[in-house]
Amino acid sequence: MSDNDVATRAPESDAQEATAASAGQSVFPGDTRAQEGPSMGEHCTTDRPTPSGEIPTGELTKLGGVDVYVAKPSDYPHSPSKLLLLLTGGTGIKSTNNQLQADKYASEGYLVVMPDQFDNDPAPNSVDMTEVSQDAGWLEQVKMKTAEGIKSFMIDMWLARHTPEKVLPLLHKVVEGAKEEFADAVANGGGIYGVGYCFGAKYILIMAGEHPDTVAWGQEAPKDEEQGVVKKAPVIKAGAIAHGTMVTKEDMEAVRVPVYIAAVENDPLFSESEVLTPGRRAMEKNSVEHEIQVFSGVPHGFAVLGDYDDPKIKQSQAQAFGQMLGWIQAH
């Protein structure tokens, strides 16, 4: 697909779906991993250069006992706002780029709550790995005897610490805290909106889905689900995501609210044939309003705010932001 190829409720062919392969166990209980290969990419764990002259205007605080970055419209609370939950990639809430991205949504009239999904443990980045590789020679022997091998190993260890059973309870605490602290914004929007990038995209999809109550909190699925287990309604009323990682077809099959998905062509971290195609089919079957746009010629992570030399990537980044913003505005 090219930049402007947009799939809206249009299933792919049976032949394409047949290529979807099942792989090992997902980090989300009950799922099968929807793609092989690396689970997190460089763009998920390392910030691009910050756009020149831009400084975050929000604040770090707590909701439900969890650290959050909150960005508010300049005229809030004098003018009504809507609550937007923004979930980041592995760089977390202290990333200047992520804070500026939250500020951009706030400038469009949203009260943005960006939670620390990682409990003050963001993903290892290139600076951290340089420091580790100097005094951790045994790791080099265990993993590929290269700095990149160590980083990959460390990211795997990091992912093992941040599974749904750890992340989802934090997000639920933040949501409940936001409902209390910003009840006016929740009421004004008729619920909570959600946007997610990379790691956070998976959790926006989960929160856009209908799940057995235990699964919604990151626990094992009940064995007797077919006997009438009560399912928990979606947490958000509409969502938009970009280049998800760790997303499974089961995540997409559970979605019940309108979602927009910005994907990257030939992205091994968010495979079209193994994730998007079965996901699109499921949303069509369940009559879920959706739009999937596949961008070509850009890297995974392109939609996260950051400076690029390539004008093509800059243009696509601005386009993705506009599409994601437009989707939540329309719902």
Side-chain angles (χ1 to χ4, degrees):
M1 288 189 183
S2 66
D3 298 6
N4 298 317
D5 284 337
V6 178
T8 57
R9 303 177 280 285
E12 300 291 343
S13 69
D14 290 338
Q16 284 177 301
E17 186 173 34
T19 64
S22 60
Q25 183 66 31
S26 165
V27 296
F28 194 54
D31 284 355
T32 52
R33 179 64 61 81
Q35 68 258 19
E36 293 279 8
S39 54
M40 289 280 282
E42 182 71 19
H43 288 79
C44 302
T45 60
T46 304
D47 275 332
R48 295 292 305 169
T50 298
S52 177
E54 297 193 31
I55 300 174
T57 57
E59 63 174 347
L60 289 167
T61 182
K62 286 183 180 289
L63 279 176
V66 178
D67 289 336
V68 296
Y69 178 83
V70 175
K72 301 175 183 178
S74 59
D75 53 358
Y76 178 83
H78 303 294
S79 296
S81 183
K82 297 179 181 180
L83 189 73
L84 176 66
L85 183 72
L86 192 161
L87 303 185
T88 72
T91 51
I93 67 170
K94 293 183 180 178
S95 155
T96 300
N97 286 354
N98 291 338
Q99 293 179 358
L100 289 171
Q101 191 129 45
D103 292 352
K104 286 186 68 174
Y105 285 105
S107 71
E108 299 291 341
Y110 290 89
L111 195 160
V112 184
V113 173
M114 188 168 72
D116 180 6
Q117 306 166 90
F118 314 121
D119 197 19
N120 200 31
D121 178 31
N125 59 39
S126 55
V127 174
D128 292 335
M129 289 304 94
T130 299
E131 294 173 354
V132 169
S133 63
Q134 291 174 351
D135 57 11
W138 68 272
L139 282 176
E140 294 178 339
Q141 297 175 22
V142 171
K143 204 66 178 173
M144 300 159 59
K145 295 186 179 180
T146 65
E148 190 57 37
I150 296 175
K151 182 175 181 181
S152 175
F153 179 68
M154 295 297 288
I155 289 175
D156 287 345
M157 292 176 63
W158 178 81
L159 285 169
R161 297 196 297 273
H162 299 291
T163 57
E165 55 263 35
K166 296 293 181 63
V167 175
L168 284 168
L170 293 174
L171 297 181
H172 281 285
K173 288 178 182 178
V174 170
V175 166
E176 293 307 310
K179 286 180 178 178
E180 181 177 343
E181 181 76 16
F182 304 117
D184 58 330
V186 176
N188 185 56
I192 297 173
Y193 295 88
V195 295
Y197 298 85
C198 299
F199 184 100
K202 175 183 177 73
Y203 290 89
I204 289 297
L205 290 177
I206 293 173
M207 300 181 94
E210 182 182 65
H211 302 280
D213 188 60
T214 50
V215 174
W217 283 82
Q219 301 170 22
E220 291 287 347
K223 303 300 183 185
D224 58 348
E225 182 177 343
E226 68 279 359
Q227 297 180 16
V229 170
V230 175
K231 290 195 174 183
K232 196 173 184 70
V235 175
I236 61 175
K237 64 174 294 185
I241 69 166
H243 38 69
T245 59
M246 312 295 289
V247 175
T248 67
K249 62 185 180 68
E250 289 89 349
D251 295 334
M252 296 186 67
E253 288 167 353
V255 169
R256 293 295 183 271
V257 303
V259 294
Y260 166 84
I261 297 172
V264 173
E265 187 176 39
N266 300 322
D267 185 356
L269 302 180
F270 196 23
S271 166
E272 182 174 1
S273 63
E274 297 174 5
V275 183
L276 290 177
T277 294
R280 182 188 292 116
R281 284 182 170 274
M283 289 187 287
E284 168 67 17
K285 178 181 178 181
N286 294 326
S287 300
V288 173
E289 185 182 357
H290 64 281
E291 182 175 319
I292 299 174
Q293 185 169 8
V294 179
F295 291 79
S296 65
V298 296
H300 179 97
F302 79 96
V304 176
L305 186 72
D307 200 13
Y308 286 91
D309 293 330
D310 187 342
K312 160 81 169 176
I313 301 176
K314 288 184 176 181
Q315 179 184 5
S316 296
Q317 184 180 103
Q319 183 181 357
F321 175 78
Q323 294 290 101
M324 294 172 75
L325 174 65
W327 183 264
I328 59 176
Q329 287 175 330
H331 294 85

